[in-house]
Every structure is written in structure tokens, then in C-alpha cells.
């Protein structure tokens, strides 16, 4: 029994992406960690390609099943994706194995998660990258030639690398003091009994106040912890209220202001 054309096409894609990883490992200024990660990804992709090239498909009632991925290939791709997820600066997107398996399943290749950048320039840059990726994915869906497939995969992973660089620049920009959200001045007040009392407190003490919670059953607004934890304070900006713990009080002040700006 011969190896199905879909499996051979998947093997070619895996070896092409492995070559992309090895080439990227030679880029100057590559850290030792990312260099090792890229080589591990490349070796795993070669292992996946070998599985596609050597494992004969199953049959059912005399019909050859061609839309399945060999177990060894699936495991190798999953391991490669885990390494890429742990090293986002490599420019290999989450679930990049779909570039290999899409030709077997006949499935669409999804775009990477959006960075949701906060400014129009960054939004335009990411939109341009996504538009170009979408076009490449469309060509990959219909092409059968190995040479064209190689060129399209190289173009796709170049765009993914640019997206990773954009993400890095966004993180650096967000970390600059001038781009950090200002924390409203928070005034401690006794817990108000009514909404009217809270309104009077704002009029007397300013737009942002905080007070202790007597009934501590509310969860802290922050999602930084793996499980919800108890809020001990309420932060209010002109009536927009956010329950929080002491650790996240400043972040809650910013969140309350943003909530007010959104709905106030």
C-alpha cells in the first residue's frame, strides 16, 4: 500500500517548516535558549514528517482512510507547539502545526490571536499582517506544487515573525512610564451606607474613593490568580465600583476609572 498524497504533502510541509526553524536559529543576536528551542522544533518536525512518510493509512471496509494524522506525527507536532508557546519571540504562532495538518484534514488555517494594540498605528500594522497572512492561507488551501507550497510557508512564517516582533514592541511600549495609565488619587472613606452617601463622599473627597468591605464575599476583580480570591475593599470612581484586594487597589482604581469612562 502506498503512502497517500495528502500524507506526503504534510511531510513536505513539516520539513519545510523545519528548515525555516533551522534558518531562523542562525539569525544574529539569537539567544542560546531560542537557538535550542528552534532546533528542537526542527527535529520534532522532521520526526513528524518521517511518520507521515512511513506510516501506512488504516482501511475500513476496503476504503483507505486518508484524513487522519499518524500518532507519532501528532505527538511530535504537539511537542513542537508547546516549545513554541513557551518561546513566543521565536515567531512560531500557537497551533502552528495546523500548517502541516490542514492539508490532511482539509481544514482552514486560523490566524494567530490578536495583540489588541491600543493605538491606531499598531492596529493598522497588525491588520496589514493579518490581511497578508489571510491571503497566503488562501493560496495554501488550493496549491499542490511543492515549490509553491515552500514559498508560501516561508512567506507565512516571515509574517508570523513580524507579528512576534510587533508584540515585543507593544510590550516594551506599554512598559514605558509615559505609557502607563495614571493611577487616580484614592481617598480612604468610611463605608457608605447608600448610593447617595457614596455620591456625597465623591463630592467631598474627589472622584476616586475606597472603603473596606464588611461582607467579604465578592471576588477581587483581578484575573492574575488561578482561582478567585476575596476582595476586602471597594474602589469607586464617580460611582463606578470595583471590588478588590489590597494588592490590586491601584489597578482597581484605574479599572474603575475606565469603567466610568466606558459607561459614565
Amino acid at each position: 500500500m502506498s503512502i497517500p498524497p495528502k500524507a506526503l504533502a504534510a511531510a513536505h510541509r513539516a520539513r519545510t517548516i523545519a528548515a525555516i526553524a533551522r534558518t531562523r536559529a542562525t539569525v544574529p543576536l539569537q539567544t542560546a535558549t531560542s537557538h535550542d528551542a528552534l532546533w528542537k522544533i526542527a527535529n520534532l518536525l522532521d520526526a513528524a514528517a518521517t511518520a507521515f512518510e512511513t506510516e501506512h493509512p488504516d482501511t475500513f471496509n476496503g476504503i483507505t482512510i486518508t484524513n487522519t494524522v499518524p500518532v507519532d506525527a501528532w505527538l511530535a507536532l504537539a511537542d513542537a507547539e508547546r516549545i513554541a508557546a513557551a518561546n513566543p519571540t521565536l515567531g512560531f504562532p500557537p497551533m502552528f502545526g495546523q500548517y502541516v495538518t490542514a492539508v490532511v484534514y482539509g481544514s482552514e488555517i486560523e490566524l494567530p490571536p490578536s495583540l489588541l494594540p491600543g493605538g491606531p498605528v499598531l492596529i493598522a500594522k497588525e491588520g496589514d499582517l493579518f490581511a497578508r497572512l489571510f491571503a497566503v492561507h488562501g493560496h495554501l488551501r488550493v496549491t499542490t506544487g511543492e515549490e509553491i507550497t515552500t514559498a508560501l510557508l516561508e512567506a507565512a512564517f516571515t509574517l508570523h515573525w513580524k507579528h512576534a516582533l510587533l508584540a515585543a514592541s507593544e510590550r516594551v511600549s506599554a512598559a514605558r512610564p509615559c505609557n502607563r495609565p495614571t493611577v487616580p488619587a484614592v481617598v480612604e472613606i468610611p463605608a457608605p451606607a447608600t448610593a447617595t452617601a457614596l455620591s456625597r463622599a465623591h463630592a467631598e473627597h474627589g472622584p476616586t474613593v475606597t472603603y473596606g468591605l464588611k461582607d467579604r464575599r465578592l471576588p477581587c476583580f483581578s484575573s492574575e490568580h488561578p482561582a478567585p480570591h476575596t476582595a476586602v475593599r471597594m474602589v469607586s470612581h464617580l460611582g463606578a465600583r470595583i471590588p478588590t484586594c489590597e494588592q490590586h487597589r491601584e489597578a482597581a482604581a484605574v479599572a474603575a476609572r475606565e469603567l466610568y469612562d466606558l459607561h459614565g
Side-chain angles (χ1 to χ4, degrees):
M1 182 186 300
S2 61
I3 303 299
K6 287 182 179 180
L8 294 176
H12 172 73
R13 290 187 177 204
R15 293 202 188 281
T16 299
I17 301 171
I20 292 170
R22 291 191 175 98
T23 300
R24 194 165 296 180
T26 65
V27 172
L29 303 180
Q30 196 73 256
T31 67
T33 300
S34 58
H35 178 276
D36 290 346
L38 286 164
W39 274 94
K40 287 177 181 177
I41 287 173
N43 291 336
L44 287 165
L45 286 166
D46 281 342
T50 298
F52 278 115
E53 292 166 339
T54 58
E55 186 168 322
H56 292 280
D58 294 328
T59 58
F60 181 75
N61 290 337
I63 300 174
T64 302
I65 309 301
T66 62
N67 62 343
T68 59
V69 173
V71 172
D72 288 344
W74 187 88
L75 292 173
L77 291 173
D79 285 343
E81 288 181 335
R82 278 192 286 271
I83 294 171
N87 298 273
T89 58
L90 299 181
F92 278 63
M95 298 175 62
F96 77 86
Q98 64 184 322
Y99 283 93
V100 176
T101 59
V103 70
V104 176
Y105 294 140
S107 55
E108 298 289 335
I109 300 174
E110 298 179 6
L111 294 172
S114 174
L115 303 175
L116 298 176
V121 174
L122 288 171
I123 290 172
K125 286 181 179 179
E126 185 179 59
D128 175 64
L129 290 174
F130 279 0
R132 291 158 67 186
L133 263 176
F134 187 78
V136 170
H137 293 171
H139 289 301
L140 275 171
R141 186 170 58 248
V142 298
T143 190
T144 56
E146 289 190 352
E147 186 175 343
I148 297 175
T149 298
T150 297
L152 288 170
L153 287 171
E154 289 173 347
F157 278 81
T158 296
L159 292 168
H160 282 299
W161 197 4
K162 291 181 178 180
H163 192 249
L165 293 173
L166 183 64
S169 69
E170 172 70 353
R171 285 192 294 270
V172 170
S173 176
R176 293 188 182 119
C178 61
N179 292 332
R180 293 174 190 161
T182 57
V183 179
V186 180
V187 178
E188 180 84 20
I189 64 169
T194 64
T196 302
L198 177 60
S199 179
R200 285 199 301 266
H202 280 299
E204 181 179 354
H205 299 290
T208 310
V209 298
T210 182
Y211 51 91
L213 290 172
K214 296 178 181 178
D215 186 359
R216 299 182 177 181
R217 290 182 296 178
L218 294 173
C220 173
F221 87 101
S222 174
S223 59
E224 293 179 13
H225 296 269
H229 59 290
T230 304
V232 297
R233 307 203 64 76
M234 185 71 78
V235 176
S236 174
H237 181 84
L238 292 175
R241 291 174 290 180
I242 301 288
T244 188
C245 63
E246 288 286 1
Q247 180 182 351
H248 299 120
R249 189 172 81 161
E250 287 191 353
V254 174
R257 183 182 62 186
E258 291 176 347
L259 181 65
Y260 176 81
D261 290 342
L262 183 63
H263 298 292

